[in-house]
Amino acid sequence: PLFQSLENQFHYIHNERTDDSSLTYTVELTTNLVSSPWNTNGVEWVGEAAFSNVWKTVTNQIPTLGKEQQFIRLKVEQE
């Protein structure tokens, strides 16, 4: 993953396989690693670009204005 800080937002950039439709990729946030659930509220898909036959780069943005702290994870699941 690559992190890019912009004025009032944060870009989270990661790679995804395109040759396995059983994989699901979800960017999730939480404000507390102990007592808060992970969710997708505030995560906005920006775009994607293929860079090989089996990989693409995906960019999501997360607003940072008014946020004290946030934790980000990429959840990868296989059906």
Side-chain angles (χ1 to χ4, degrees):
L2 175 67
F3 302 94
Q4 184 178 35
S5 180
L6 301 170
E7 189 171 316
N8 291 322
Q9 60 190 351
F10 188 75
H11 279 191
Y12 181 81
I13 304 160
H14 66 277
N15 295 332
E16 294 184 7
R17 289 180 55 178
T18 59
D19 64 340
D20 189 345
S21 61
S22 70
L23 294 175
T24 323
Y25 299 82
T26 309
V27 177
E28 297 180 325
L29 306 173
T30 189
T31 56
N32 185 310
L33 292 174
V34 176
S35 61
S36 295
W38 290 94
N39 63 71
T40 59
N41 297 339
V43 178
E44 182 180 336
W45 180 85
V46 175
E48 60 186 50
F51 67 89
S52 79
N53 290 339
V54 295
W55 292 100
K56 66 181 176 181
T57 300
V58 178
T59 303
N60 290 278
Q61 70 181 16
I62 299 146
T64 57
L65 188 63
K67 306 284 183 174
E68 288 186 28
Q69 73 178 13
Q70 293 185 93
F71 299 95
I72 304 169
R73 76 175 178 185
L74 176 62
K75 186 175 179 181
V76 182
E77 297 179 293
Q78 186 172 30
E79 297 174 9

